[in-house]
Amino acid sequence: MLKYVSKRLLYMIITLWVVITITFFLMHAMPGDPLASLARELPPQVKANYYAKYGLDKSVPQQYVLFLKNLCRGDLGESLKYPGRSVTDTIAKHAPVSGRLGIQAISIGVVIGIVLGIIAAFKRNRWPDHLVMFIAILGVCLPSFVLAALLQYVLSVKFELFPTAGWGTGKHTVLPTIALCFGSIATYARYMRSSVLDVINQDYILTAKAKGISEFNLIVKHVIRNAIIPAITILAPQIANVFTGSFVIENIFAIPGLGSNLVDSINNRDFSMIMGLTIFYCALYIISLLIVDILYGIVDPRIRFSDDVQE
């Protein structure tokens, strides 16, 4: 397993380098000057020093090499829009906010979605199945920002149970977590229902039933372990999507997360911030894929971490 993880870490570094390279040159291929609006009124010498500070007085290949050198030292540079604000410090300050919201949404979405999927499969073509499928379709069709506005109106304005917006207490996380996890619940419920329906018709399940095993032990020991693999597969994209796709929810609820910083940096052509957040999201996604691959082997021991099986 150590050899497999080491090999995957090497692939992760190569993938990250490719993403960094493509993002860097795509941003510099955009027309216009990112500092034009900020340095327009400055004297020529101050303007030259300003460009030299960010390395924008050099050619693009030289800027690329300089960026990689700084990256190897853990330095992602300063924001072009807000001089003096470190990209690393911005990520360190706002990532825990998005992370807390994302972990809550994913945890609730996975648990409830898997439970609903199992119930729907075992109650197939009965009212619990129809109810779960209705929730699943609603979760797929209903955009998160519409659900967020609805939650704000009903639970904040009408019943005054939770704050409308803001951040700081546990109550502030309830509505955005519900808005974010509803889609995950729908996704996991559909995947789990389909997978469980396939598993419960296998011969080993019929054998276990013939031996008189209780329904609870049947579900825990045989059904879940064999049916949960497809649900684990979509866990990695879900983690990245919650981080990157939560900026709408963060704006609606005025949450100081990374999503709003990403949108602001794109609108302001803040190259340093865009690169830093791209690296962060890419690393998060790649690490999530590695964790999912390791979970495969833990959930199903038949999956080994050998080169023969993986490749």
Side-chain angles (χ1 to χ4, degrees), residues 19-30 60-61 64-65 275:
V19 172
I20 291 170
T21 302
I22 293 174
T23 307
F24 184 89
F25 284 102
L26 280 178
M27 284 197 309
H28 284 78
M30 295 170 60
V60 173
Y64 174 68
V65 174
M275 285 301 303

Side-chain angles (χ1 to χ4, degrees), residues 183-256:
S184 298
I185 292 173
T187 302
Y188 279 101
R190 288 187 296 112
Y191 273 89
M192 201 63 191
R193 176 184 180 275
S194 175
S195 186
V196 169
L197 285 176
D198 181 58
V199 168
I200 59 179
N201 292 319
Q202 298 295 323
D203 291 340
Y204 59 87
I205 296 294
L206 300 176
T207 303
K209 287 181 178 178
K211 288 182 177 179
I213 189 172
S214 67
E215 187 170 350
F216 178 79
N217 287 331
L218 178 71
I219 293 174
V220 173
K221 294 182 178 178
H222 298 282
V223 175
I224 290 181
R225 295 194 64 173
N226 291 287
I228 204 170
I229 295 294
I232 292 177
T233 303
I234 59 174
L235 182 61
Q238 285 277 316
I239 294 174
N241 286 338
V242 165
F243 269 86
T244 57
S246 63
F247 62 88
V248 176
I249 299 299
E250 290 180 1
N251 283 333
I252 291 175
F253 291 99
I255 297 172

Side-chain angles (χ1 to χ4, degrees), residues 60-168:
V60 173
Q62 288 177 319
Q63 292 182 44
Y64 174 68
V65 174
L66 181 63
F67 179 80
L68 290 182
K69 285 182 179 178
N70 292 332
L71 181 62
C72 292
R73 295 196 298 266
D75 182 9
L76 294 172
E78 288 186 8
S79 167
L80 299 183
K81 178 67 177 177
Y82 305 102
R85 180 184 294 180
S86 166
V87 176
T88 306
D89 292 342
T90 302
I91 294 175
K93 179 180 179 182
H94 297 281
V97 176
S98 295
R100 177 183 175 182
L101 200 60
I103 289 172
Q104 287 183 188
I106 290 176
S107 301
I108 295 173
V110 169
V111 173
I112 296 180
I114 288 176
V115 171
L116 290 180
I118 295 173
I119 293 174
F122 276 88
K123 304 295 182 183
R124 187 182 183 185
N125 294 330
R126 295 161 67 178
W127 73 265
D129 183 24
H130 299 315
L131 179 61
V132 171
M133 285 301 97
F134 173 75
I135 295 173
I137 293 172
L138 195 64
V140 172
C141 299
L142 189 64
S144 59
F145 61 88
V146 175
L147 179 61
L150 188 65
L151 290 171
Q152 281 182 321
Y153 178 74
V154 176
L155 299 181
S156 296
V157 177
K158 285 292 182 182
F159 295 99
E160 300 181 354
L161 295 176
F162 301 101
T164 307
W167 186 258

